[in-house]
Amino acid sequence: MTSSLELYDVTIIGGGPAGMYAAFYSGMRDMKTKLIEAKDELGGRMRIYPEKMIWDVGGFAPIQCEQLIRQLEQQTMVFDPTLVFGQQITGLERQEDGTYLLITESGEKHWTRTVILAVGRGILKLAKLEIEGAERFEVTNLHYTVQEIEAFRGKRVLISGGGNSAVDWANELEPIAAKVTVVHRQDRFGGHEKNIVRMKESTVDVRTRHVVANLHSSDGRTIEKVSIRHVDHEETEQLEVDAVIVNHGLKADFGGITSWGLNMNDWNVFTSSKLATNLPGIFAAGDFAAYDSKVNLIAGAFPDAVLAVNSAKLYMDPAAPEVAYVSSHNNRFDEKNRELETVEQK
């Protein structure tokens, strides 16, 4: 069954920050690496907010998310891993020799000694606004992601949601929009404390205990007003708007991974402190991994990736060093350092 397939030391499922860094670090450990991404590009969840400024990654303060993705992509390719796009892994079969056969939704097969699950929140689908007919405004001024911040300059923007994304976009848009209103059904926001304080101390009009009840349009194409309703006493109010941004979270689809026998809940797989799952030779990293002292930041994806790769290496070869040599002493970088020196001399 596997004789016609190429065997890899590690196959990383997922091309977000954890998966990309795992592909780089496994190269430092001289592992034959494959990365499989269900979409057609790397970046994972970061692709949802390309213009957002990222402040909490060491060495970059701040950096635009799109630029961070580009630099991670370059780092990913340092040791030339095999990249596979547009394939969602659903099946897993353990072979008699302990290796694994990964099977995609369309029937392709991949053979590997170990697996790192860096699937984040799965195949993410944005939660839509549950108002009849709302979809017709998606081509004009109803938005579920922010691709270009400048498109909102001088406009009256209503943001529906109370998580990190809603709070972050309120802060990003407040200096350039004519007015920003945030509507949230609860009293408390789910974003980072510092960002919540910043939003509340700005000119953002914060309406807690409210929901978007209706969208109003005279031409049937563009939202002109929004009715918001108080969740306790049902009173409504109309607000004039030029744009509506909905951040109601994401729905996850992990495909067939949920049937593998992993110890997991709706969103995460439970791992050891060294990112091992309950299945031999299968590890996790990034948002998908849950363990004591977990750091739920993009920056936290990188140590996760290192730990998962080290565990995969030791699973294959218990006599191997526990960690890779640092880059200044790692002979995997000798040739690349000479290439950089040649470029600088030119």
Side-chain angles (χ1 to χ4, degrees):
M1 180 184 294
T2 57
S3 58
S4 62
L5 298 174
E6 191 173 358
L7 179 62
Y8 283 79
D9 292 327
V10 60
T11 297
I12 301 157
I13 303 175
M20 285 191 279
Y21 197 75
F24 163 73
Y25 189 77
S26 62
M28 288 182 66
R29 302 235 55 180
D30 201 20
M31 298 166 73
K32 186 176 181 180
T33 304
K34 178 183 285 186
L35 186 153
I36 302 174
E37 166 55 47
K39 294 187 177 180
D40 296 324
E41 58 186 356
L42 297 173
R45 189 176 179 181
M46 293 192 296
R47 291 286 180 188
I48 296 173
Y49 38 84
E51 290 200 353
K52 181 178 172 182
M53 298 305 294
I54 307 297
W55 288 80
D56 50 12
V57 175
F60 299 104
I63 183 171
Q64 194 174 53
C65 193
E66 189 172 33
Q67 184 183 355
L68 180 59
I69 293 170
R70 286 198 301 269
Q71 296 192 193
L72 280 169
E73 286 176 322
Q74 292 174 8
Q75 189 177 44
T76 298
M77 299 309 299
V78 167
F79 297 109
D80 299 316
T82 297
L83 301 186
V84 177
F85 293 103
Q87 294 187 21
Q88 183 177 5
I89 299 297
T90 56
L92 175 77
E93 295 178 2
R94 194 174 191 205
Q95 308 302 291
E96 291 183 2
D97 61 358
T99 61
Y100 283 102
L101 194 64
L102 296 167
I103 305 168
T104 73
E105 192 174 35
S106 54
E108 289 90 350
K109 295 180 174 65
H110 303 272
W111 190 22
T112 187
R113 290 188 170 92
T114 63
V115 177
I116 294 177
L117 297 169
V119 296
R121 298 299 187 186
I123 304 297
L124 296 174
K125 298 177 181 178
L126 292 164
K128 296 296 187 76
L129 188 63
E130 295 181 357
I131 292 177
E132 186 176 355
E135 66 278 357
R136 71 181 185 272
F137 300 116
E138 292 178 20
V139 297
T140 52
N141 62 341
L142 175 60
H143 309 272
Y144 290 98
T145 62
V146 175
Q147 297 295 329
E148 296 181 16
I149 256 186
E150 280 298 315
F152 299 92
R153 182 172 291 278
K155 293 186 176 181
R156 297 164 297 181
V157 182
L158 183 143
I159 300 173
S160 178
N164 275 316
S165 293
V167 173
D168 289 349
W169 284 125
N171 288 328
E172 292 280 347
L173 292 171
E174 189 265 344
I176 69 167
K179 182 177 182 180
V180 176
T181 302
V182 174
V183 176
H184 182 35
R185 67 166 51 249
Q186 298 179 14
D187 291 313
R188 296 173 64 107
F189 287 86
H192 295 302
E193 293 176 23
K194 189 175 184 67
N195 294 336
I196 295 169
V197 170
R198 176 185 167 193
M199 176 184 70
K200 289 183 175 180
E201 291 180 348
S202 72
T203 62
V204 173
D205 182 11
V206 177
R207 305 292 189 97
T208 54
R209 307 293 293 170
H210 281 81
V211 295
V212 174
N214 210 345
L215 308 175
H216 305 279
S217 171
S218 60
D219 61 7
R221 294 184 62 256
T222 305
I223 302 168
E224 296 160 353
K225 295 180 181 179
V226 171
S227 289
I228 62 172
R229 183 180 69 248
H230 199 284
V231 297
D232 296 323
H233 46 67
E234 299 293 313
E235 290 183 5
T236 62
E237 179 183 354
Q238 280 194 4
L239 305 176
E240 294 184 347
V241 299
D242 300 304
V244 176
I245 300 171
V246 176
N247 290 133
H248 287 180
L250 300 158
K251 296 179 179 179
D253 176 11
F254 292 109
I257 289 176
T258 56
S259 65
W260 291 4
L262 290 164
N263 181 16
M264 61 181 293
N265 59 22
D266 290 342
W267 290 96
N268 308 99
V269 63
F270 298 105
T271 74
S272 70
S273 60
K274 294 188 176 180
L275 282 299
T277 72
N278 60 301
L279 298 182
I282 298 184
F283 308 90
D287 285 341
F288 189 51
Y291 56 94
D292 290 343
S293 73
K294 172 73 176 182
V295 176
N296 291 301
L297 296 170
I298 291 175
F302 307 139
D304 274 10
V306 170
L307 290 167
V309 169
N310 285 337
S311 293
K313 180 73 174 183
L314 291 168
Y315 176 82
M316 291 189 304
D317 180 9
E322 291 190 2
V323 298
Y325 290 113
V326 296
S327 60
S328 57
H329 294 85
N330 191 317
N331 59 16
R332 298 281 284 164
F333 290 97
D334 289 347
E335 182 179 346
K336 299 182 184 301
N337 288 336
R338 286 193 294 271
E339 290 173 0
L340 290 173
E341 290 169 1
T342 301
V343 170
E344 290 175 357
Q345 289 171 2
K346 291 181 178 179

